Amino acid sequence: MAPALEAVEFDGSSSSLKRVCVMDAGGCLGSSLVYSLLQRGYFVHAAVQSRVEMESMERRIVDNKNVRVFHTDPMDYQSIVEALEGCFGLFYSFEPQFDQPSYDELMAEMEVRAAHNVLEACAQTDTIDKVVFTSSATAVFWRDPSDSTPSLGDFDERNWSNVNFCKKFKLWHGLSKTLTEKTAWALAMDRGVSMVSINAGLLLSPDLTVTHPYLKGAAEMYKDGVFVTVDLKFLVDSHICIYEDSSAYGRYLCFNHVINSNEDAVNLAQILLPADISSLPPSMMVGENKMMPQRISNKKLNKLMANFEGGATLSATE
């Protein structure tokens, strides 16, 4: 059973005067963000996508006067506007249920429409100063090996996944996150919305399973040295740091571990497939513990977070 979100007394700091919205607050990342923001003295609008999530969140907030829960459908523009009313910032993420075998090109269209609605609503909300937009590392590293245009160096925030390559090999997660983030950036620049995006690695959440669409192409990620993961606390701290730091800009690759050895691969497999790790590609399982060269960089984020002091993070299992 999840713990109640206890009330936090405002301490007079600048952050305690801010009201922010967390969209998809019912998910693992969103609910942890709500908890951490409350601990830092924010007033939070927790926007959830289903009535079940809304009832669960309302049970947890108990008598906390610093949070309001909203039922917000990303496809319903008006419900987004209502959740944003009076807020200075938005933390936006969109993660459908991955236990359904329907993550395909249509999901990309849905995510694009949702992002368009959210950014348009932000543009129409006078109080919004900043949007922290959660994207994925899969919007960075998928490219056609035959394409001679990209640099042969490490991947960083300047890189974008090749949309046609993603379509050709049915890398729907990469396709969806690339198209969605590009849509968000185009609208943010056109409407004058201040936005920063976080391109997160695979989130090692308690409910992670082998069916997660991020994992399609895992063997190729491993061989290319771009198979990256992120812990929940690090991801939450990164979001808050980027929101609070006025110098944050553009895109930030966010991860704190690279799967680039057989040992790493086996350890991950034991999380995803505790009863059977035989389905992992042979290249990730056999032979000596060979280290694959890391070819993706998060130096930009590490520099920004050098002096950031994070707080406690609510575990999804608590």
Side-chain angles (χ1 to χ4, degrees):
M1 181 177 179
L5 300 180
E6 300 174 354
V8 178
E9 293 294 330
F10 283 179
D11 59 7
S13 66
S14 60
S15 66
S16 70
L17 304 177
K18 295 292 189 179
R19 182 185 298 254
V20 296
C21 178
V22 176
M23 201 159 288
D24 199 11
C28 179
L29 170 61
S31 60
S32 296
L33 267 171
V34 170
Y35 178 84
S36 293
L37 288 165
L38 288 171
Q39 294 299 309
R40 294 178 78 84
Y42 285 85
F43 190 104
V44 181
H45 286 196
V48 298
Q49 294 187 38
S50 72
R51 292 294 179 185
V52 173
E53 290 176 334
M54 187 171 187
E55 292 172 1
S56 174
M57 181 66 73
E58 287 176 337
R59 286 195 300 270
R60 292 166 59 192
I61 63 176
V62 196
D63 296 323
N64 195 320
K65 304 300 183 183
N66 300 339
V67 58
R68 288 183 60 193
V69 184
F70 294 80
H71 180 219
T72 304
D73 181 353
M75 302 302 154
D76 180 354
Y77 177 81
Q78 189 56 41
S79 70
I80 299 170
V81 171
E82 291 172 0
L84 292 176
E85 185 177 1
C87 291
F88 292 87
L90 168 67
F91 295 86
Y92 175 76
S93 62
F94 182 85
E95 292 294 345
Q97 297 298 315
F98 294 131
D99 56 352
Q100 302 174 2
S102 59
Y103 203 96
D104 52 20
E105 199 165 0
L106 293 177
M107 183 60 73
E109 296 177 8
M110 181 184 297
E111 288 201 45
V112 167
R113 291 201 304 271
H116 186 279
N117 287 342
V118 169
L119 267 296
E120 185 61 47
C122 287
Q124 299 301 323
T125 304
D126 293 338
T127 55
I128 291 291
D129 289 330
K130 191 172 188 177
V131 175
V132 180
F133 188 94
T134 309
S135 184
S136 172
T138 59
V140 172
F141 56 63
W142 286 122
R143 68 183 180 198
D144 190 336
S146 65
D147 186 356
S148 60
T149 303
S151 167
L152 295 178
D154 290 349
F155 288 90
D156 61 22
E157 291 81 3
R158 294 169 293 183
N159 297 106
W160 286 92
S161 288
N162 184 309
V163 169
N164 291 328
F165 181 81
C166 290
K167 287 181 179 179
K168 180 179 179 180
F169 291 98
K170 299 183 178 181
L171 299 165
W172 303 127
H173 193 269
L175 175 70
S176 180
K177 297 306 179 183
T178 303
L179 292 177
T180 300
E181 189 187 347
K182 284 190 171 185
T183 296
W185 275 115
L187 195 55
M189 290 187 284
D190 182 62
R191 299 290 194 271
V193 176
S194 176
M195 188 180 98
V196 182
S197 67
I198 296 179
N199 296 83
L202 177 67
L203 175 59
L204 297 180
S205 61
D207 58 351
L208 179 65
T209 70
V210 74
T211 61
H212 196 297
Y214 187 111
L215 290 164
K216 183 163 187 182
E220 287 73 23
M221 287 186 241
Y222 175 78
K223 289 186 291 185
D224 292 342
V226 297
F227 194 170
V228 291
T229 66
V230 62
D231 296 330
L232 180 59
K233 184 180 187 305
F234 186 78
L235 184 58
V236 169
D237 285 348
S238 298
H239 277 73
I240 296 175
C241 174
I242 285 171
Y243 178 74
E244 293 183 348
D245 195 322
S246 60
S247 69
Y249 69 96
R251 307 169 81 203
Y252 286 86
L253 271 164
C254 179
F255 60 90
N256 58 353
H257 189 66
V258 183
I259 307 296
N260 62 346
S261 72
N262 299 70
E263 182 179 355
D264 292 333
V266 170
N267 289 339
L268 179 61
Q270 289 173 340
I271 296 173
L272 300 173
L273 302 161
D276 178 19
I277 63 173
S278 61
S279 61
L280 271 182
S283 61
M284 299 170 66
M285 294 293 298
V286 299
E288 61 185 49
N289 192 31
K290 181 180 178 181
M291 294 289 294
M292 308 300 291
Q294 178 179 337
R295 297 189 57 229
I296 188 167
S297 171
N298 60 351
K299 291 180 180 178
K300 183 181 177 186
L301 178 62
N302 288 342
K303 182 178 179 180
L304 186 75
M305 292 188 66
N307 298 315
F308 178 75
E309 294 184 4
T313 299
L314 177 66
S315 169
T317 60
E318 290 186 295

